[in-house]
Amino acid sequence: MSRKRTAILISGRGSNMVALMEASAIDTFPAEIVLVLSNVPDAPGLAKAAAAGIQTKAIDHKAFEDRPQFEAAVQAELDAADVELVCLAGFMRLLTDEFVTAWHNRMINIHPSLLPSYKGLDTHRRVIRDGGRITGCTVHYVRSQMDQGPIIAQAAVPVHADDTDERLAARVLEAEHALYPMALELVANGTVRVAGEKVRFEGKDLDQPALLSPAKTG
Ligand code: GAR
């Protein structure tokens, strides 16, 4: 089995990146992390990836005049590493239509809500404000609109009456760390296919986007 050469794009602490790296450290996992790239030169995730022996690259978006020039530099690194799949993991830059199109059905993202609800930032604060009882996280293919695209997998997470943003974020993050490797596995091993902008599962007894049970409460 040839493992899909995968890059992870981060902007911060990289806890989802670590979950993906740990899953791919097992050599039967169908994706191999060959590059971790950040637009923030001092992103803590870069040091974690380097410590795990993974090639890292910082490309500071502030050093470029515009988004296309920044993305050309990112693309050059992806090309140099022969990357086949891209995972966004807390990558906080909007991408141009051109870049998204170049990676159509080959770039996935994790978002801390049950999409299509609560796109954007501050998802947990807004869920609590709205009195939601269940939230979660979503892995989806990237399209040009932010936090939109065919849904690959979701995990549901309960909201507790006394939750703070931080407590809820921590509970959702735990679910993210289980969900993202599972979703990458389904994409990298060819189980997932996009038809009519919806995800279908091939060769498995799954005809629904994968749903993980609620994470441990606590
Ligand atoms: C994660 O919660 C991820 O879902 C979120 O940023 C965090 C990154 O944490 N992504 C988004 O909000 C994208 N719209 P991490 O750096 O520890 O993985």
Short mmCIF file of all heavy atoms in Angstrom, two decimals, residues 23-87:
data_model
loop_
_atom_site.label_atom_id
_atom_site.label_comp_id
_atom_site.label_asym_id
_atom_site.label_seq_id
_atom_site.Cartn_x
_atom_site.Cartn_y
_atom_site.Cartn_z
N ALA A 23 -1.31 9.18 14.75
CA ALA A 23 -2.01 8.13 13.99
C ALA A 23 -1.13 7.65 12.84
O ALA A 23 -1.04 6.44 12.56
CB ALA A 23 -3.33 8.68 13.46
N SER A 24 -0.46 8.59 12.18
CA SER A 24 0.31 8.21 10.99
C SER A 24 1.66 7.60 11.35
O SER A 24 2.37 7.11 10.47
CB SER A 24 0.50 9.42 10.08
OG SER A 24 1.35 10.32 10.71
N ALA A 25 2.01 7.62 12.64
CA ALA A 25 3.27 6.97 13.05
C ALA A 25 3.17 5.46 12.92
O ALA A 25 4.19 4.77 12.88
CB ALA A 25 3.60 7.36 14.48
N ILE A 26 1.95 4.96 12.83
CA ILE A 26 1.76 3.51 12.64
C ILE A 26 1.83 3.24 11.13
O ILE A 26 1.11 3.89 10.35
CB ILE A 26 0.39 3.09 13.21
CG1 ILE A 26 0.40 3.33 14.72
CG2 ILE A 26 0.06 1.63 12.90
CD1 ILE A 26 -0.96 3.45 15.34
N ASP A 27 2.69 2.32 10.71
CA ASP A 27 2.97 2.28 9.27
C ASP A 27 1.87 1.65 8.43
O ASP A 27 1.95 1.68 7.20
CB ASP A 27 4.36 1.72 8.97
CG ASP A 27 4.54 0.33 9.49
OD1 ASP A 27 3.52 -0.29 9.85
OD2 ASP A 27 5.71 -0.14 9.55
N THR A 28 0.83 1.14 9.06
CA THR A 28 -0.32 0.69 8.25
C THR A 28 -1.33 1.82 8.02
O THR A 28 -2.29 1.66 7.27
CB THR A 28 -1.06 -0.48 8.95
OG1 THR A 28 -1.34 -0.09 10.30
CG2 THR A 28 -0.23 -1.74 8.96
N PHE A 29 -1.12 2.97 8.67
CA PHE A 29 -2.03 4.10 8.46
C PHE A 29 -1.82 4.61 7.02
O PHE A 29 -0.69 4.75 6.57
CB PHE A 29 -1.71 5.21 9.48
CG PHE A 29 -2.76 6.28 9.55
CD1 PHE A 29 -3.93 6.10 10.27
CD2 PHE A 29 -2.58 7.50 8.87
CE1 PHE A 29 -4.90 7.11 10.32
CE2 PHE A 29 -3.53 8.50 8.93
CZ PHE A 29 -4.70 8.30 9.65
N PRO A 30 -2.91 4.89 6.29
CA PRO A 30 -2.75 5.16 4.86
C PRO A 30 -2.22 6.55 4.49
O PRO A 30 -2.07 6.84 3.30
CB PRO A 30 -4.17 4.98 4.32
CG PRO A 30 -5.06 5.27 5.48
CD PRO A 30 -4.31 4.81 6.69
N ALA A 31 -1.95 7.38 5.49
CA ALA A 31 -1.35 8.69 5.20
C ALA A 31 -0.06 8.83 5.97
O ALA A 31 0.05 8.38 7.11
CB ALA A 31 -2.31 9.82 5.60
N GLU A 32 0.91 9.48 5.31
CA GLU A 32 2.21 9.73 5.94
C GLU A 32 2.40 11.25 5.99
O GLU A 32 2.22 11.92 4.98
CB GLU A 32 3.28 9.10 5.04
CG GLU A 32 4.68 9.31 5.48
CD GLU A 32 5.69 8.92 4.39
OE1 GLU A 32 5.25 8.55 3.27
OE2 GLU A 32 6.88 9.01 4.65
N ILE A 33 2.70 11.78 7.18
CA ILE A 33 2.89 13.23 7.30
C ILE A 33 4.31 13.57 6.84
O ILE A 33 5.29 13.17 7.49
CB ILE A 33 2.65 13.74 8.75
CG1 ILE A 33 1.33 13.19 9.32
CG2 ILE A 33 2.69 15.26 8.79
CD1 ILE A 33 0.09 13.45 8.53
N VAL A 34 4.41 14.30 5.74
CA VAL A 34 5.74 14.59 5.19
C VAL A 34 6.15 16.04 5.41
O VAL A 34 7.31 16.39 5.21
CB VAL A 34 5.82 14.25 3.68
CG1 VAL A 34 5.66 12.74 3.48
CG2 VAL A 34 4.78 15.02 2.87
N LEU A 35 5.19 16.87 5.81
CA LEU A 35 5.51 18.29 5.98
C LEU A 35 4.49 18.94 6.91
O LEU A 35 3.28 18.67 6.81
CB LEU A 35 5.44 18.99 4.61
CG LEU A 35 5.64 20.50 4.57
CD1 LEU A 35 7.09 20.87 4.94
CD2 LEU A 35 5.34 21.05 3.17
N VAL A 36 4.99 19.76 7.84
CA VAL A 36 4.11 20.63 8.64
C VAL A 36 4.52 22.05 8.32
O VAL A 36 5.70 22.41 8.43
CB VAL A 36 4.24 20.33 10.15
CG1 VAL A 36 3.53 21.42 10.97
CG2 VAL A 36 3.66 18.95 10.47
N LEU A 37 3.56 22.84 7.89
CA LEU A 37 3.84 24.20 7.44
C LEU A 37 2.98 25.18 8.24
O LEU A 37 1.80 24.92 8.47
CB LEU A 37 3.52 24.26 5.95
CG LEU A 37 3.93 25.47 5.15
CD1 LEU A 37 4.17 25.07 3.70
CD2 LEU A 37 2.89 26.57 5.23
N SER A 38 3.58 26.28 8.65
CA SER A 38 2.82 27.28 9.41
C SER A 38 3.03 28.67 8.82
O SER A 38 4.13 29.01 8.38
CB SER A 38 3.26 27.29 10.87
OG SER A 38 2.56 28.30 11.57
N ASN A 39 1.97 29.46 8.85
CA ASN A 39 2.08 30.87 8.45
C ASN A 39 2.55 31.74 9.61
O ASN A 39 2.80 32.92 9.42
CB ASN A 39 0.73 31.39 7.94
CG ASN A 39 -0.31 31.40 9.05
OD1 ASN A 39 -0.53 30.38 9.70
ND2 ASN A 39 -0.95 32.53 9.26
N VAL A 40 2.64 31.13 10.81
CA VAL A 40 3.10 31.86 12.00
C VAL A 40 4.45 31.27 12.41
O VAL A 40 4.51 30.12 12.85
CB VAL A 40 2.07 31.71 13.15
CG1 VAL A 40 2.56 32.42 14.41
CG2 VAL A 40 0.70 32.23 12.73
N PRO A 41 5.53 32.03 12.23
CA PRO A 41 6.87 31.45 12.44
C PRO A 41 7.08 30.87 13.83
O PRO A 41 7.80 29.89 13.98
CB PRO A 41 7.82 32.63 12.19
CG PRO A 41 7.04 33.55 11.30
CD PRO A 41 5.59 33.40 11.67
N ASP A 42 6.44 31.47 14.87
CA ASP A 42 6.67 30.92 16.21
C ASP A 42 5.49 30.06 16.70
O ASP A 42 5.30 29.89 17.90
CB ASP A 42 7.00 32.02 17.22
CG ASP A 42 5.90 33.06 17.31
OD1 ASP A 42 4.90 32.93 16.55
OD2 ASP A 42 6.02 33.99 18.12
N ALA A 43 4.74 29.50 15.78
CA ALA A 43 3.64 28.61 16.18
C ALA A 43 4.21 27.44 16.99
O ALA A 43 5.12 26.75 16.53
CB ALA A 43 2.92 28.08 14.94
N PRO A 44 3.67 27.20 18.19
CA PRO A 44 4.22 26.12 19.04
C PRO A 44 4.17 24.74 18.34
O PRO A 44 5.02 23.89 18.60
CB PRO A 44 3.30 26.13 20.27
CG PRO A 44 2.73 27.52 20.31
CD PRO A 44 2.63 27.97 18.89
N GLY A 45 3.23 24.54 17.45
CA GLY A 45 3.12 23.26 16.75
C GLY A 45 4.35 22.92 15.92
O GLY A 45 4.68 21.75 15.75
N LEU A 46 5.05 23.94 15.43
CA LEU A 46 6.23 23.68 14.58
C LEU A 46 7.30 22.92 15.36
O LEU A 46 7.89 21.97 14.85
CB LEU A 46 6.81 24.99 14.04
CG LEU A 46 6.07 25.63 12.87
CD1 LEU A 46 6.71 26.99 12.55
CD2 LEU A 46 6.07 24.74 11.63
N ALA A 47 7.52 23.35 16.61
CA ALA A 47 8.54 22.68 17.44
C ALA A 47 8.12 21.24 17.74
O ALA A 47 8.96 20.34 17.76
CB ALA A 47 8.75 23.47 18.72
N LYS A 48 6.81 21.05 17.96
CA LYS A 48 6.34 19.68 18.26
C LYS A 48 6.57 18.77 17.05
O LYS A 48 6.98 17.61 17.19
CB LYS A 48 4.85 19.69 18.60
CG LYS A 48 4.52 20.43 19.89
CD LYS A 48 3.01 20.45 20.14
CE LYS A 48 2.64 21.49 21.17
NZ LYS A 48 1.21 21.78 21.24
N ALA A 49 6.31 19.29 15.85
CA ALA A 49 6.51 18.47 14.64
C ALA A 49 7.99 18.18 14.44
O ALA A 49 8.38 17.04 14.14
CB ALA A 49 5.93 19.20 13.43
N ALA A 50 8.82 19.21 14.63
CA ALA A 50 10.27 19.02 14.45
C ALA A 50 10.79 17.98 15.44
O ALA A 50 11.60 17.11 15.09
CB ALA A 50 11.00 20.35 14.62
N ALA A 51 10.28 18.03 16.69
CA ALA A 51 10.71 17.08 17.71
C ALA A 51 10.32 15.66 17.33
O ALA A 51 10.99 14.70 17.73
CB ALA A 51 10.12 17.46 19.07
N ALA A 52 9.25 15.53 16.55
CA ALA A 52 8.82 14.20 16.11
C ALA A 52 9.54 13.79 14.82
O ALA A 52 9.23 12.74 14.23
CB ALA A 52 7.31 14.18 15.91
N GLY A 53 10.47 14.62 14.37
CA GLY A 53 11.27 14.27 13.20
C GLY A 53 10.59 14.55 11.88
O GLY A 53 10.98 14.00 10.83
N ILE A 54 9.60 15.43 11.90
CA ILE A 54 8.88 15.75 10.66
C ILE A 54 9.41 17.06 10.10
O ILE A 54 9.72 18.00 10.86
CB ILE A 54 7.36 15.79 10.93
CG1 ILE A 54 6.92 14.36 11.20
CG2 ILE A 54 6.59 16.41 9.77
CD1 ILE A 54 5.51 14.17 11.57
N GLN A 55 9.52 17.12 8.79
CA GLN A 55 10.01 18.33 8.13
C GLN A 55 9.04 19.48 8.39
O GLN A 55 7.82 19.32 8.25
CB GLN A 55 10.12 18.07 6.63
CG GLN A 55 10.83 19.18 5.88
CD GLN A 55 10.59 19.10 4.39
OE1 GLN A 55 10.34 18.04 3.83
NE2 GLN A 55 10.68 20.24 3.73
N THR A 56 9.57 20.63 8.78
CA THR A 56 8.70 21.79 9.05
C THR A 56 9.13 22.97 8.19
O THR A 56 10.28 23.05 7.76
CB THR A 56 8.78 22.23 10.53
OG1 THR A 56 10.12 22.61 10.82
CG2 THR A 56 8.34 21.12 11.47
N LYS A 57 8.18 23.86 8.00
CA LYS A 57 8.47 25.08 7.23
C LYS A 57 7.59 26.20 7.75
O LYS A 57 6.38 26.01 7.92
CB LYS A 57 8.16 24.80 5.75
CG LYS A 57 8.49 25.93 4.83
CD LYS A 57 9.99 25.99 4.55
CE LYS A 57 10.36 27.32 3.91
NZ LYS A 57 11.81 27.45 3.74
N ALA A 58 8.18 27.36 8.01
CA ALA A 58 7.41 28.55 8.39
C ALA A 58 7.41 29.49 7.20
O ALA A 58 8.47 29.80 6.64
CB ALA A 58 8.04 29.21 9.60
N ILE A 59 6.23 29.91 6.80
CA ILE A 59 6.12 30.92 5.74
C ILE A 59 5.24 32.03 6.30
O ILE A 59 4.01 31.88 6.39
CB ILE A 59 5.53 30.34 4.44
CG1 ILE A 59 6.39 29.18 3.95
CG2 ILE A 59 5.41 31.43 3.38
CD1 ILE A 59 5.92 28.56 2.65
N ASP A 60 5.88 33.11 6.71
CA ASP A 60 5.17 34.21 7.38
C ASP A 60 4.34 34.98 6.33
O ASP A 60 4.91 35.63 5.45
CB ASP A 60 6.21 35.12 8.04
CG ASP A 60 5.55 36.19 8.90
OD1 ASP A 60 4.31 36.33 8.84
OD2 ASP A 60 6.29 36.86 9.63
N HIS A 61 3.02 34.93 6.49
CA HIS A 61 2.18 35.60 5.48
C HIS A 61 2.43 37.11 5.46
O HIS A 61 2.21 37.76 4.45
CB HIS A 61 0.69 35.30 5.73
CG HIS A 61 0.20 35.83 7.04
ND1 HIS A 61 0.32 35.12 8.22
CD2 HIS A 61 -0.39 37.00 7.38
CE1 HIS A 61 -0.19 35.84 9.21
NE2 HIS A 61 -0.62 36.98 8.73
N LYS A 62 2.93 37.64 6.58
CA LYS A 62 3.13 39.10 6.66
C LYS A 62 4.28 39.54 5.75
O LYS A 62 4.39 40.72 5.42
CB LYS A 62 3.46 39.51 8.10
CG LYS A 62 2.31 39.27 9.06
CD LYS A 62 2.52 40.10 10.32
CE LYS A 62 1.75 39.57 11.49
NZ LYS A 62 2.54 38.59 12.29
N ALA A 63 5.10 38.59 5.33
CA ALA A 63 6.23 38.94 4.48
C ALA A 63 5.83 39.08 3.01
O ALA A 63 6.68 39.40 2.16
CB ALA A 63 7.32 37.89 4.63
N PHE A 64 4.56 38.83 2.71
CA PHE A 64 4.12 38.86 1.30
C PHE A 64 3.15 40.00 1.07
O PHE A 64 2.39 40.38 1.97
CB PHE A 64 3.46 37.52 0.93
CG PHE A 64 4.43 36.38 0.99
CD1 PHE A 64 4.68 35.72 2.19
CD2 PHE A 64 5.13 35.99 -0.13
CE1 PHE A 64 5.59 34.69 2.27
CE2 PHE A 64 6.05 34.96 -0.08
CZ PHE A 64 6.28 34.30 1.13
N GLU A 65 3.18 40.51 -0.15
CA GLU A 65 2.33 41.65 -0.47
C GLU A 65 0.85 41.28 -0.50
O GLU A 65 -0.01 42.08 -0.16
CB GLU A 65 2.72 42.19 -1.84
CG GLU A 65 3.48 43.48 -1.74
CD GLU A 65 3.98 43.93 -3.09
OE1 GLU A 65 3.21 43.85 -4.07
OE2 GLU A 65 5.15 44.35 -3.14
N ASP A 66 0.57 40.10 -0.97
CA ASP A 66 -0.85 39.72 -1.06
C ASP A 66 -0.99 38.21 -0.87
O ASP A 66 -0.01 37.46 -0.79
CB ASP A 66 -1.46 40.18 -2.40
CG ASP A 66 -0.71 39.63 -3.59
OD1 ASP A 66 0.03 38.63 -3.43
OD2 ASP A 66 -0.85 40.19 -4.69
N ARG A 67 -2.24 37.78 -0.80
CA ARG A 67 -2.55 36.37 -0.55
C ARG A 67 -1.98 35.44 -1.64
O ARG A 67 -1.37 34.42 -1.33
CB ARG A 67 -4.07 36.21 -0.48
CG ARG A 67 -4.55 35.56 0.78
CD ARG A 67 -6.08 35.59 0.83
NE ARG A 67 -6.54 36.59 1.74
CZ ARG A 67 -6.60 36.45 3.07
NH1 ARG A 67 -6.24 35.31 3.62
NH2 ARG A 67 -7.03 37.41 3.83
N PRO A 68 -2.16 35.79 -2.96
CA PRO A 68 -1.63 34.90 -3.99
C PRO A 68 -0.12 34.68 -3.88
O PRO A 68 0.37 33.56 -4.10
CB PRO A 68 -2.00 35.60 -5.30
CG PRO A 68 -3.23 36.39 -4.96
CD PRO A 68 -3.03 36.85 -3.54
N GLN A 69 0.62 35.72 -3.50
CA GLN A 69 2.08 35.54 -3.40
C GLN A 69 2.43 34.64 -2.22
O GLN A 69 3.33 33.80 -2.31
CB GLN A 69 2.77 36.90 -3.26
CG GLN A 69 2.74 37.67 -4.57
CD GLN A 69 3.49 38.99 -4.47
OE1 GLN A 69 4.51 39.09 -3.79
NE2 GLN A 69 2.98 40.00 -5.15
N PHE A 70 1.71 34.82 -1.12
CA PHE A 70 1.92 33.93 0.03
C PHE A 70 1.61 32.49 -0.36
O PHE A 70 2.39 31.56 -0.11
CB PHE A 70 1.02 34.39 1.19
CG PHE A 70 0.81 33.36 2.27
CD1 PHE A 70 1.85 32.96 3.09
CD2 PHE A 70 -0.45 32.79 2.46
CE1 PHE A 70 1.65 32.01 4.08
CE2 PHE A 70 -0.65 31.83 3.44
CZ PHE A 70 0.40 31.43 4.26
N GLU A 71 0.48 32.31 -1.04
CA GLU A 71 0.07 30.95 -1.40
C GLU A 71 1.01 30.32 -2.43
O GLU A 71 1.21 29.10 -2.42
CB GLU A 71 -1.36 30.97 -1.94
CG GLU A 71 -2.36 31.23 -0.82
CD GLU A 71 -3.77 31.42 -1.33
OE1 GLU A 71 -4.00 31.40 -2.56
OE2 GLU A 71 -4.67 31.58 -0.48
N ALA A 72 1.60 31.15 -3.30
CA ALA A 72 2.57 30.60 -4.27
C ALA A 72 3.75 30.00 -3.51
O ALA A 72 4.28 28.94 -3.88
CB ALA A 72 3.02 31.69 -5.23
N ALA A 73 4.16 30.67 -2.43
CA ALA A 73 5.27 30.15 -1.62
C ALA A 73 4.87 28.85 -0.92
O ALA A 73 5.66 27.90 -0.84
CB ALA A 73 5.71 31.20 -0.60
N VAL A 74 3.62 28.81 -0.44
CA VAL A 74 3.13 27.58 0.21
C VAL A 74 3.08 26.45 -0.83
O VAL A 74 3.56 25.33 -0.58
CB VAL A 74 1.72 27.82 0.82
CG1 VAL A 74 1.11 26.50 1.30
CG2 VAL A 74 1.79 28.84 1.96
N GLN A 75 2.53 26.77 -1.99
CA GLN A 75 2.40 25.75 -3.04
C GLN A 75 3.78 25.20 -3.44
O GLN A 75 3.93 23.99 -3.67
CB GLN A 75 1.70 26.36 -4.27
CG GLN A 75 1.45 25.38 -5.41
CD GLN A 75 0.45 24.29 -5.05
OE1 GLN A 75 -0.63 24.59 -4.55
NE2 GLN A 75 0.81 23.03 -5.27
N ALA A 76 4.78 26.07 -3.50
CA ALA A 76 6.13 25.62 -3.88
C ALA A 76 6.65 24.60 -2.87
O ALA A 76 7.28 23.60 -3.25
CB ALA A 76 7.07 26.82 -3.96
N GLU A 77 6.36 24.81 -1.59
CA GLU A 77 6.80 23.84 -0.56
C GLU A 77 6.03 22.53 -0.69
O GLU A 77 6.59 21.45 -0.52
CB GLU A 77 6.59 24.41 0.85
CG GLU A 77 7.49 25.56 1.18
CD GLU A 77 8.97 25.19 1.15
OE1 GLU A 77 9.31 24.04 1.46
OE2 GLU A 77 9.77 26.08 0.81
N LEU A 78 4.74 22.64 -0.97
CA LEU A 78 3.92 21.41 -1.12
C LEU A 78 4.42 20.62 -2.33
O LEU A 78 4.52 19.39 -2.28
CB LEU A 78 2.44 21.78 -1.28
CG LEU A 78 1.81 22.52 -0.08
CD1 LEU A 78 0.37 22.94 -0.40
CD2 LEU A 78 1.82 21.65 1.18
N ASP A 79 4.75 21.34 -3.40
CA ASP A 79 5.26 20.67 -4.60
C ASP A 79 6.61 20.01 -4.31
O ASP A 79 6.85 18.87 -4.70
CB ASP A 79 5.44 21.68 -5.75
CG ASP A 79 4.11 22.14 -6.32
OD1 ASP A 79 3.08 21.45 -6.07
OD2 ASP A 79 4.08 23.18 -6.99
N ALA A 80 7.47 20.75 -3.60
CA ALA A 80 8.82 20.23 -3.32
C ALA A 80 8.74 18.95 -2.50
O ALA A 80 9.60 18.07 -2.61
CB ALA A 80 9.65 21.28 -2.59
N ALA A 81 7.71 18.84 -1.67
CA ALA A 81 7.58 17.64 -0.81
C ALA A 81 6.66 16.59 -1.44
O ALA A 81 6.30 15.60 -0.79
CB ALA A 81 7.06 18.05 0.57
N ASP A 82 6.27 16.82 -2.70
CA ASP A 82 5.39 15.85 -3.42
C ASP A 82 4.12 15.54 -2.63
O ASP A 82 3.72 14.37 -2.50
CB ASP A 82 6.12 14.53 -3.69
CG ASP A 82 7.07 14.66 -4.85
OD1 ASP A 82 6.77 15.45 -5.76
OD2 ASP A 82 8.13 14.00 -4.81
N VAL A 83 3.52 16.58 -2.08
CA VAL A 83 2.34 16.39 -1.24
C VAL A 83 1.12 16.03 -2.08
O VAL A 83 0.88 16.61 -3.14
CB VAL A 83 2.09 17.68 -0.41
CG1 VAL A 83 0.73 17.66 0.25
CG2 VAL A 83 3.20 17.85 0.62
N GLU A 84 0.37 15.04 -1.59
CA GLU A 84 -0.86 14.61 -2.28
C GLU A 84 -2.13 15.06 -1.55
O GLU A 84 -3.18 15.22 -2.17
CB GLU A 84 -0.87 13.08 -2.38
CG GLU A 84 0.29 12.52 -3.16
CD GLU A 84 0.39 11.01 -2.99
OE1 GLU A 84 0.94 10.56 -1.96
OE2 GLU A 84 -0.09 10.29 -3.89
N LEU A 85 -2.03 15.19 -0.23
CA LEU A 85 -3.20 15.59 0.57
C LEU A 85 -2.78 16.70 1.54
O LEU A 85 -1.67 16.65 2.07
CB LEU A 85 -3.68 14.42 1.44
CG LEU A 85 -4.57 13.35 0.86
CD1 LEU A 85 -4.82 12.28 1.92
CD2 LEU A 85 -5.89 13.95 0.39
N VAL A 86 -3.70 17.64 1.77
CA VAL A 86 -3.43 18.71 2.73
C VAL A 86 -4.49 18.66 3.83
O VAL A 86 -5.69 18.59 3.56
CB VAL A 86 -3.46 20.10 2.04
CG1 VAL A 86 -3.35 21.22 3.06
CG2 VAL A 86 -2.33 20.21 1.01
N CYS A 87 -4.02 18.71 5.09
CA CYS A 87 -4.92 18.81 6.24
C CYS A 87 -4.73 20.19 6.87
O CYS A 87 -3.62 20.52 7.30
CB CYS A 87 -4.58 17.76 7.29
SG CYS A 87 -4.85 16.08 6.77
#
